[in-house]
Amino acid sequence: MKNSSFAVSEILNKSFQFIFANLSSRLKDGFLLVVLITLCFNALNALMANALATNFTILLFVFFSMLLMSSIGISVHKEILSNYKQSFFSEFLSLKNIKYFINIFLITLVAIFPLLIHFLFKISNKMEILGLNISYLFILWILTCILSLKFIFILPKIALDYDYNYSFSELNTVGSKLFIIFFIITIFFFIPSIIILSLQIALLNSNSQIYVYVKPIFDLISFYISYLNYLVVFAAISYAYKKTKS
């Protein structure tokens, strides 16, 4: 793959402009999706509170949420790379969306592999690997994140129906820059998420009766923040892919 150099600030600027240049439209586009996920989340909480939720129910909700996220990704890629805007639900149950979801899962699995190893050793009360403390897995996690991002351009290829393969030919040379970009985006949306969480905890501690009624509103805001986060992340992938292909 041909890779042109790009500045981190350039991709970040374009990605945030993607939502903030027409924020009202972005909020309107995601309204039904966010309301739907909020209703499902609160229904799941109600089932769990009454001990009616099973592991299958929880997994079904996670799978449903991931499919929605994948359909957002496909729509964003098409809008930026093909100048074609479509509903987030257009590809929801399509084979393309399933394929997109599977690839997100595989890429994520590569990224978090050291964290999984850390978790397994932690629950086994083993604090060392080959004589090294398991805390050093954090360094390996950064490296696996960068490695996984080197395969991230498979996602826009799926959205655009381009050919791709699982080989070194798919590796890009901008994985480290993408890691920095994703880190900055995560921090940007992490701050309002923490503020909303803090407000929920404060209200729960001060007046739990009122909290029961306003919790869905807090959930709606939280999911809206996550939705905008996804938009910026997928926009960053799209703009980075577009830049490397130019």
Side-chain angles (χ1 to χ4, degrees):
M1 174 185 291
K2 179 181 178 181
N3 285 283
S4 302
S5 61
F6 60 78
V8 169
S9 58
E10 175 189 3
I11 301 302
L12 284 172
N13 183 52
K14 289 183 177 180
S15 301
F16 280 105
Q17 277 190 351
F18 180 74
I19 61 169
F20 289 118
N22 196 359
L23 183 59
S24 60
S25 177
R26 298 301 176 193
L27 294 176
K28 182 179 178 181
D29 291 342
F31 178 75
L32 180 59
L33 182 148
V34 174
V35 168
L36 181 61
I37 200 71
T38 301
L39 291 174
C40 291
F41 178 73
N42 280 274
L44 179 63
N45 280 340
L47 291 174
M48 293 176 66
N50 292 283
L52 297 175
T54 63
N55 291 334
F56 176 75
T57 309
I58 297 172
L59 288 175
L60 188 63
F61 172 77
V62 172
F63 180 67
F64 172 75
S65 302
M66 292 292 289
L67 280 181
L68 282 178
M69 181 188 70
S70 299
S71 63
I72 292 174
I74 292 174
S75 298
V76 171
H77 295 323
K78 284 189 174 182
E79 182 174 349
I80 293 174
L81 300 172
S82 299
N83 198 29
Y84 176 74
K85 188 172 182 179
Q86 65 178 33
S87 167
F88 293 133
F89 295 98
S90 297
E91 301 280 359
F92 179 62
L93 295 177
S94 69
L95 179 61
K96 179 188 293 185
N97 199 35
I98 299 294
K99 188 185 298 184
Y100 194 97
F101 162 75
I102 291 173
N103 278 273
I104 285 183
F105 176 78
L106 292 175
I107 290 171
T108 303
L109 193 61
V110 172
I112 67 171
F113 181 73
L115 300 183
L116 295 176
I117 297 297
H118 184 279
F119 173 76
L120 292 175
F121 271 75
K122 193 80 172 181
I123 63 176
S124 301
N125 292 320
K126 295 180 180 179
M127 303 305 294
E128 291 187 350
I129 301 176
L130 301 176
L132 296 175
N133 191 284
I134 59 174
S135 60
Y136 284 101
L137 284 171
F138 177 75
I139 299 175
L140 182 59
W141 170 72
I142 295 176
L143 296 177
T144 54
C145 282
I146 293 174
L147 174 62
S148 66
L149 291 173
K150 286 181 173 292
F151 286 98
I152 202 73
F153 291 156
I154 286 178
L155 300 182
K157 285 187 175 182
I158 293 174
L160 300 176
D161 297 313
Y162 291 169
D163 293 332
Y164 68 95
N165 56 75
Y166 299 105
S167 68
F168 288 110
S169 63
E170 290 291 348
L171 288 171
N172 61 66
T173 61
V174 294
S176 57
K177 288 186 177 182
L178 288 171
F179 178 79
I180 296 172
I181 289 169
F182 284 10
F183 178 78
I184 294 173
I185 293 172
T186 300
I187 294 298
F188 181 88
F189 286 99
F190 178 75
I191 295 173
S193 296
I194 286 297
I195 293 174
I196 294 299
L197 179 60
S198 300
L199 290 174
Q200 289 189 70
I201 294 174
L203 183 58
L204 178 61
N205 292 332
S206 62
N207 197 324
S208 58
Q209 292 181 332
I210 294 179
Y211 174 76
V212 173
Y213 296 101
V214 300
K215 180 182 179 297
I217 299 176
F218 280 114
D219 292 336
L220 184 71
I221 296 172
S222 297
F223 284 123
Y224 247 123
I225 294 172
S226 297
Y227 157 71
L228 294 176
N229 192 350
Y230 288 141
L231 286 185
V232 177
V233 166
F234 289 125
I237 295 172
S238 301
Y239 286 120
Y241 174 76
K242 186 176 183 179
K243 184 67 177 180
T244 60
K245 295 296 288 184
S246 62

